[in-house]
Amino acid sequence: MAVLPILTYPDPRLQRVAEPVIDFGQNFQTLVDDLLATLRVSAHGVGMAATQVGVLQRLVIVDVSSKANIKHHGLQVLVNPEILDWQGFASGREGCLSVPDYIGTVIRAKKIQLKAQDRHGQWREYAMEGYEARAVQHEIDHLDGKLFLDRLVSKKRDLMLRQFI
Ligand code: NI
């Protein structure tokens, strides 16, 4: 297992669209383990996409279990994730390991229905809400080359320096 360097804005590789995962072999398993190790050592990290370590494959990990009093599924490895349904809208604060100095206020769906493969290729469906749903929407954006910065309604009003939060 290796902790990988995280790309930061404005690295152009963060804007590329990731490819579907089709090979769940040893190289992919190593990538999953490396991504998990990288998230584990990152302060504030509740999720990470393979894009953030420069690998353009549709793989994200999410673990919001450190947040108090919310519904969640624990640590999840989500491969080729697809949002099937959205409900409601809520604005909330987000950070990103690729935008380390800032926090943004972003509008996301409140609830999502999600389909994803696990690290061995098995499909699963999830109903997610609140902070976990937000985190997954944020991570899937990375796979499509988007950062939370692209979703701010107003850069002046909705972007804050992390040190002032
Ligand atoms: Ni991010």
Side-chain angles (χ1 to χ4, degrees):
M1 261 195 284
V3 172
L4 306 171
I6 298 173
L7 306 181
T8 54
Y9 177 82
D11 193 308
R13 286 171 288 180
L14 290 168
Q15 292 173 22
R16 295 181 55 192
V17 176
E19 299 286 333
V21 174
I22 44 173
D23 183 349
F24 291 79
Q26 192 49 54
N27 287 347
F28 180 72
Q29 298 304 320
T30 303
L31 171 65
V32 172
D33 287 335
D34 289 351
L35 207 60
L36 291 168
T38 305
L39 180 64
R40 215 167 286 136
V41 300
S42 305
H44 316 292
V46 293
M48 188 177 291
T51 303
Q52 291 177 275
V53 296
V55 178
L56 293 171
Q57 294 200 45
R58 300 192 78 82
L59 159 67
V60 309
I61 53 178
V62 171
D63 183 2
V64 299
S65 59
S66 62
K67 302 274 171 185
N69 303 319
I70 59 164
K71 281 193 192 168
H72 63 76
H73 292 79
L75 173 64
Q76 293 296 322
V77 174
L78 305 172
V79 185
N80 299 322
E82 224 177 290
I83 297 176
L84 303 171
D85 194 37
W86 293 259
Q87 271 182 46
F89 293 98
S91 95
R93 286 179 174 178
E94 290 180 23
C96 180
L97 296 167
S98 295
V99 191
D101 297 335
Y102 290 90
I103 296 282
T105 303
V106 183
I107 296 169
R108 301 280 186 190
K110 263 188 198 165
K111 293 185 180 181
I112 58 170
Q113 197 69 32
L114 179 79
K115 173 177 108 164
Q117 284 166 284
D118 68 13
R119 64 184 294 168
H120 304 294
Q122 190 69 44
W123 285 101
R124 248 190 95 174
E125 277 198 29
Y126 301 81
M128 292 180 169
E129 61 181 72
Y131 193 77
E132 185 178 51
R134 173 174 295 277
V136 166
Q137 290 170 81
H138 174 117
E139 297 311 331
I140 292 177
D141 267 0
H142 278 299
L143 303 182
D144 294 323
K146 289 199 184 81
L147 296 170
F148 78 81
L149 299 172
D150 302 311
R151 294 207 179 265
L152 301 174
V153 176
S154 155
K155 281 216 165 66
K156 195 172 163 189
R157 203 191 57 198
D158 296 335
L159 193 60
M160 295 149 274
L161 272 172
R162 190 184 276 279
Q163 67 186 100
F164 296 127
I165 301 296

mmCIF file with all atom_site columns, all heavy atoms in Angstrom, residues 76-89:
data_model
loop_
_atom_site.group_PDB
_atom_site.id
_atom_site.type_symbol
_atom_site.label_atom_id
_atom_site.label_alt_id
_atom_site.label_comp_id
_atom_site.label_asym_id
_atom_site.label_entity_id
_atom_site.label_seq_id
_atom_site.pdbx_PDB_ins_code
_atom_site.Cartn_x
_atom_site.Cartn_y
_atom_site.Cartn_z
_atom_site.occupancy
_atom_site.B_iso_or_equiv
_atom_site.pdbx_formal_charge
_atom_site.auth_seq_id
_atom_site.auth_comp_id
_atom_site.auth_asym_id
_atom_site.auth_atom_id
_atom_site.pdbx_PDB_model_num
ATOM 1   N N   . GLN A 1 76 ? -17.218 3.068  1.868   1.00 0.00 ? 76 GLN A N   1
ATOM 2   C CA  . GLN A 1 76 ? -17.679 2.427  0.644   1.00 0.00 ? 76 GLN A CA  1
ATOM 3   C C   . GLN A 1 76 ? -16.708 2.688  -0.496  1.00 0.00 ? 76 GLN A C   1
ATOM 4   O O   . GLN A 1 76 ? -16.276 3.824  -0.709  1.00 0.00 ? 76 GLN A O   1
ATOM 5   C CB  . GLN A 1 76 ? -19.059 2.974  0.238   1.00 0.00 ? 76 GLN A CB  1
ATOM 6   C CG  . GLN A 1 76 ? -20.184 2.608  1.190   1.00 0.00 ? 76 GLN A CG  1
ATOM 7   C CD  . GLN A 1 76 ? -20.446 1.109  1.265   1.00 0.00 ? 76 GLN A CD  1
ATOM 8   O OE1 . GLN A 1 76 ? -20.369 0.386  0.268   1.00 0.00 ? 76 GLN A OE1 1
ATOM 9   N NE2 . GLN A 1 76 ? -20.716 0.628  2.466   1.00 0.00 ? 76 GLN A NE2 1
ATOM 10  N N   . VAL A 1 77 ? -16.378 1.613  -1.205  1.00 0.00 ? 77 VAL A N   1
ATOM 11  C CA  . VAL A 1 77 ? -15.608 1.722  -2.443  1.00 0.00 ? 77 VAL A CA  1
ATOM 12  C C   . VAL A 1 77 ? -16.635 1.653  -3.572  1.00 0.00 ? 77 VAL A C   1
ATOM 13  O O   . VAL A 1 77 ? -17.358 0.659  -3.692  1.00 0.00 ? 77 VAL A O   1
ATOM 14  C CB  . VAL A 1 77 ? -14.600 0.555  -2.559  1.00 0.00 ? 77 VAL A CB  1
ATOM 15  C CG1 . VAL A 1 77 ? -13.895 0.586  -3.915  1.00 0.00 ? 77 VAL A CG1 1
ATOM 16  C CG2 . VAL A 1 77 ? -13.591 0.598  -1.407  1.00 0.00 ? 77 VAL A CG2 1
ATOM 17  N N   . LEU A 1 78 ? -16.749 2.713  -4.348  1.00 0.00 ? 78 LEU A N   1
ATOM 18  C CA  . LEU A 1 78 ? -17.786 2.813  -5.383  1.00 0.00 ? 78 LEU A CA  1
ATOM 19  C C   . LEU A 1 78 ? -17.117 2.863  -6.756  1.00 0.00 ? 78 LEU A C   1
ATOM 20  O O   . LEU A 1 78 ? -16.379 3.797  -7.064  1.00 0.00 ? 78 LEU A O   1
ATOM 21  C CB  . LEU A 1 78 ? -18.628 4.069  -5.160  1.00 0.00 ? 78 LEU A CB  1
ATOM 22  C CG  . LEU A 1 78 ? -19.277 4.209  -3.764  1.00 0.00 ? 78 LEU A CG  1
ATOM 23  C CD1 . LEU A 1 78 ? -19.910 5.591  -3.608  1.00 0.00 ? 78 LEU A CD1 1
ATOM 24  C CD2 . LEU A 1 78 ? -20.315 3.107  -3.540  1.00 0.00 ? 78 LEU A CD2 1
ATOM 25  N N   . VAL A 1 79 ? -17.383 1.823  -7.542  1.00 0.00 ? 79 VAL A N   1
ATOM 26  C CA  . VAL A 1 79 ? -16.756 1.710  -8.859  1.00 0.00 ? 79 VAL A CA  1
ATOM 27  C C   . VAL A 1 79 ? -17.835 1.899  -9.926  1.00 0.00 ? 79 VAL A C   1
ATOM 28  O O   . VAL A 1 79 ? -18.936 1.342  -9.798  1.00 0.00 ? 79 VAL A O   1
ATOM 29  C CB  . VAL A 1 79 ? -16.082 0.327  -9.015  1.00 0.00 ? 79 VAL A CB  1
ATOM 30  C CG1 . VAL A 1 79 ? -15.328 0.251  -10.339 1.00 0.00 ? 79 VAL A CG1 1
ATOM 31  C CG2 . VAL A 1 79 ? -15.138 0.052  -7.846  1.00 0.00 ? 79 VAL A CG2 1
ATOM 32  N N   . ASN A 1 80 ? -17.516 2.685  -10.939 1.00 0.00 ? 80 ASN A N   1
ATOM 33  C CA  . ASN A 1 80 ? -18.478 3.022  -12.001 1.00 0.00 ? 80 ASN A CA  1
ATOM 34  C C   . ASN A 1 80 ? -19.814 3.513  -11.406 1.00 0.00 ? 80 ASN A C   1
ATOM 35  O O   . ASN A 1 80 ? -20.892 3.077  -11.827 1.00 0.00 ? 80 ASN A O   1
ATOM 36  C CB  . ASN A 1 80 ? -18.718 1.818  -12.928 1.00 0.00 ? 80 ASN A CB  1
ATOM 37  C CG  . ASN A 1 80 ? -17.435 1.371  -13.609 1.00 0.00 ? 80 ASN A CG  1
ATOM 38  O OD1 . ASN A 1 80 ? -16.602 2.183  -13.993 1.00 0.00 ? 80 ASN A OD1 1
ATOM 39  N ND2 . ASN A 1 80 ? -17.254 0.066  -13.746 1.00 0.00 ? 80 ASN A ND2 1
ATOM 40  N N   . PRO A 1 81 ? -19.757 4.435  -10.444 1.00 0.00 ? 81 PRO A N   1
ATOM 41  C CA  . PRO A 1 81 ? -20.989 4.871  -9.774  1.00 0.00 ? 81 PRO A CA  1
ATOM 42  C C   . PRO A 1 81 ? -21.890 5.666  -10.712 1.00 0.00 ? 81 PRO A C   1
ATOM 43  O O   . PRO A 1 81 ? -21.402 6.401  -11.568 1.00 0.00 ? 81 PRO A O   1
ATOM 44  C CB  . PRO A 1 81 ? -20.472 5.774  -8.641  1.00 0.00 ? 81 PRO A CB  1
ATOM 45  C CG  . PRO A 1 81 ? -19.169 6.306  -9.147  1.00 0.00 ? 81 PRO A CG  1
ATOM 46  C CD  . PRO A 1 81 ? -18.576 5.183  -9.968  1.00 0.00 ? 81 PRO A CD  1
ATOM 47  N N   . GLU A 1 82 ? -23.177 5.483  -10.542 1.00 0.00 ? 82 GLU A N   1
ATOM 48  C CA  . GLU A 1 82 ? -24.167 6.144  -11.388 1.00 0.00 ? 82 GLU A CA  1
ATOM 49  C C   . GLU A 1 82 ? -25.336 6.573  -10.515 1.00 0.00 ? 82 GLU A C   1
ATOM 50  O O   . GLU A 1 82 ? -25.901 5.738  -9.802  1.00 0.00 ? 82 GLU A O   1
ATOM 51  C CB  . GLU A 1 82 ? -24.685 5.122  -12.395 1.00 0.00 ? 82 GLU A CB  1
ATOM 52  C CG  . GLU A 1 82 ? -24.798 5.637  -13.807 1.00 0.00 ? 82 GLU A CG  1
ATOM 53  C CD  . GLU A 1 82 ? -25.256 4.503  -14.707 1.00 0.00 ? 82 GLU A CD  1
ATOM 54  O OE1 . GLU A 1 82 ? -24.457 3.563  -14.941 1.00 0.00 ? 82 GLU A OE1 1
ATOM 55  O OE2 . GLU A 1 82 ? -26.421 4.545  -15.139 1.00 0.00 ? 82 GLU A OE2 1
ATOM 56  N N   . ILE A 1 83 ? -25.693 7.844  -10.568 1.00 0.00 ? 83 ILE A N   1
ATOM 57  C CA  . ILE A 1 83 ? -26.848 8.313  -9.812  1.00 0.00 ? 83 ILE A CA  1
ATOM 58  C C   . ILE A 1 83 ? -28.092 8.072  -10.655 1.00 0.00 ? 83 ILE A C   1
ATOM 59  O O   . ILE A 1 83 ? -28.186 8.526  -11.796 1.00 0.00 ? 83 ILE A O   1
ATOM 60  C CB  . ILE A 1 83 ? -26.691 9.798  -9.428  1.00 0.00 ? 83 ILE A CB  1
ATOM 61  C CG1 . ILE A 1 83 ? -25.467 9.957  -8.509  1.00 0.00 ? 83 ILE A CG1 1
ATOM 62  C CG2 . ILE A 1 83 ? -27.951 10.306 -8.724  1.00 0.00 ? 83 ILE A CG2 1
ATOM 63  C CD1 . ILE A 1 83 ? -25.137 11.380 -8.133  1.00 0.00 ? 83 ILE A CD1 1
ATOM 64  N N   . LEU A 1 84 ? -29.024 7.309  -10.084 1.00 0.00 ? 84 LEU A N   1
ATOM 65  C CA  . LEU A 1 84 ? -30.218 6.918  -10.829 1.00 0.00 ? 84 LEU A CA  1
ATOM 66  C C   . LEU A 1 84 ? -31.360 7.900  -10.598 1.00 0.00 ? 84 LEU A C   1
ATOM 67  O O   . LEU A 1 84 ? -32.242 8.037  -11.444 1.00 0.00 ? 84 LEU A O   1
ATOM 68  C CB  . LEU A 1 84 ? -30.673 5.525  -10.375 1.00 0.00 ? 84 LEU A CB  1
ATOM 69  C CG  . LEU A 1 84 ? -29.623 4.416  -10.501 1.00 0.00 ? 84 LEU A CG  1
ATOM 70  C CD1 . LEU A 1 84 ? -30.117 3.158  -9.811  1.00 0.00 ? 84 LEU A CD1 1
ATOM 71  C CD2 . LEU A 1 84 ? -29.311 4.132  -11.965 1.00 0.00 ? 84 LEU A CD2 1
ATOM 72  N N   . ASP A 1 85 ? -31.365 8.540  -9.427  1.00 0.00 ? 85 ASP A N   1
ATOM 73  C CA  . ASP A 1 85 ? -32.480 9.427  -9.089  1.00 0.00 ? 85 ASP A CA  1
ATOM 74  C C   . ASP A 1 85 ? -32.021 10.471 -8.068  1.00 0.00 ? 85 ASP A C   1
ATOM 75  O O   . ASP A 1 85 ? -31.182 10.171 -7.220  1.00 0.00 ? 85 ASP A O   1
ATOM 76  C CB  . ASP A 1 85 ? -33.633 8.595  -8.508  1.00 0.00 ? 85 ASP A CB  1
ATOM 77  C CG  . ASP A 1 85 ? -34.923 9.390  -8.467  1.00 0.00 ? 85 ASP A CG  1
ATOM 78  O OD1 . ASP A 1 85 ? -35.165 10.181 -9.404  1.00 0.00 ? 85 ASP A OD1 1
ATOM 79  O OD2 . ASP A 1 85 ? -35.671 9.244  -7.484  1.00 0.00 ? 85 ASP A OD2 1
ATOM 80  N N   . TRP A 1 86 ? -32.584 11.669 -8.198  1.00 0.00 ? 86 TRP A N   1
ATOM 81  C CA  . TRP A 1 86 ? -32.255 12.779 -7.296  1.00 0.00 ? 86 TRP A CA  1
ATOM 82  C C   . TRP A 1 86 ? -33.541 13.275 -6.658  1.00 0.00 ? 86 TRP A C   1
ATOM 83  O O   . TRP A 1 86 ? -34.576 13.299 -7.313  1.00 0.00 ? 86 TRP A O   1
ATOM 84  C CB  . TRP A 1 86 ? -31.702 13.969 -8.073  1.00 0.00 ? 86 TRP A CB  1
ATOM 85  C CG  . TRP A 1 86 ? -30.386 13.826 -8.727  1.00 0.00 ? 86 TRP A CG  1
ATOM 86  C CD1 . TRP A 1 86 ? -29.197 14.315 -8.263  1.00 0.00 ? 86 TRP A CD1 1
ATOM 87  C CD2 . TRP A 1 86 ? -30.091 13.222 -9.992  1.00 0.00 ? 86 TRP A CD2 1
ATOM 88  N NE1 . TRP A 1 86 ? -28.192 14.034 -9.157  1.00 0.00 ? 86 TRP A NE1 1
ATOM 89  C CE2 . TRP A 1 86 ? -28.696 13.365 -10.220 1.00 0.00 ? 86 TRP A CE2 1
ATOM 90  C CE3 . TRP A 1 86 ? -30.857 12.543 -10.957 1.00 0.00 ? 86 TRP A CE3 1
ATOM 91  C CZ2 . TRP A 1 86 ? -28.071 12.873 -11.361 1.00 0.00 ? 86 TRP A CZ2 1
ATOM 92  C CZ3 . TRP A 1 86 ? -30.229 12.059 -12.091 1.00 0.00 ? 86 TRP A CZ3 1
ATOM 93  C CH2 . TRP A 1 86 ? -28.863 12.227 -12.281 1.00 0.00 ? 86 TRP A CH2 1
ATOM 94  N N   . GLN A 1 87 ? -33.460 13.717 -5.391  1.00 0.00 ? 87 GLN A N   1
ATOM 95  C CA  . GLN A 1 87 ? -34.632 14.344 -4.753  1.00 0.00 ? 87 GLN A CA  1
ATOM 96  C C   . GLN A 1 87 ? -34.211 15.539 -3.919  1.00 0.00 ? 87 GLN A C   1
ATOM 97  O O   . GLN A 1 87 ? -33.273 15.440 -3.122  1.00 0.00 ? 87 GLN A O   1
ATOM 98  C CB  . GLN A 1 87 ? -35.299 13.359 -3.810  1.00 0.00 ? 87 GLN A CB  1
ATOM 99  C CG  . GLN A 1 87 ? -36.351 12.484 -4.469  1.00 0.00 ? 87 GLN A CG  1
ATOM 100 C CD  . GLN A 1 87 ? -36.971 11.578 -3.440  1.00 0.00 ? 87 GLN A CD  1
ATOM 101 O OE1 . GLN A 1 87 ? -37.321 12.008 -2.346  1.00 0.00 ? 87 GLN A OE1 1
ATOM 102 N NE2 . GLN A 1 87 ? -37.066 10.306 -3.777  1.00 0.00 ? 87 GLN A NE2 1
ATOM 103 N N   . GLY A 1 88 ? -34.918 16.637 -4.097  1.00 0.00 ? 88 GLY A N   1
ATOM 104 C CA  . GLY A 1 88 ? -34.713 17.812 -3.258  1.00 0.00 ? 88 GLY A CA  1
ATOM 105 C C   . GLY A 1 88 ? -33.403 18.515 -3.531  1.00 0.00 ? 88 GLY A C   1
ATOM 106 O O   . GLY A 1 88 ? -32.550 18.015 -4.275  1.00 0.00 ? 88 GLY A O   1
ATOM 107 N N   . PHE A 1 89 ? -33.246 19.692 -2.936  1.00 0.00 ? 89 PHE A N   1
ATOM 108 C CA  . PHE A 1 89 ? -32.010 20.456 -3.056  1.00 0.00 ? 89 PHE A CA  1
ATOM 109 C C   . PHE A 1 89 ? -31.653 21.037 -1.700  1.00 0.00 ? 89 PHE A C   1
ATOM 110 O O   . PHE A 1 89 ? -32.536 21.419 -0.938  1.00 0.00 ? 89 PHE A O   1
ATOM 111 C CB  . PHE A 1 89 ? -32.165 21.600 -4.072  1.00 0.00 ? 89 PHE A CB  1
ATOM 112 C CG  . PHE A 1 89 ? -32.350 21.108 -5.468  1.00 0.00 ? 89 PHE A CG  1
ATOM 113 C CD1 . PHE A 1 89 ? -33.615 21.006 -6.024  1.00 0.00 ? 89 PHE A CD1 1
ATOM 114 C CD2 . PHE A 1 89 ? -31.254 20.717 -6.214  1.00 0.00 ? 89 PHE A CD2 1
ATOM 115 C CE1 . PHE A 1 89 ? -33.786 20.523 -7.306  1.00 0.00 ? 89 PHE A CE1 1
ATOM 116 C CE2 . PHE A 1 89 ? -31.411 20.227 -7.504  1.00 0.00 ? 89 PHE A CE2 1
ATOM 117 C CZ  . PHE A 1 89 ? -32.689 20.135 -8.050  1.00 0.00 ? 89 PHE A CZ  1
#
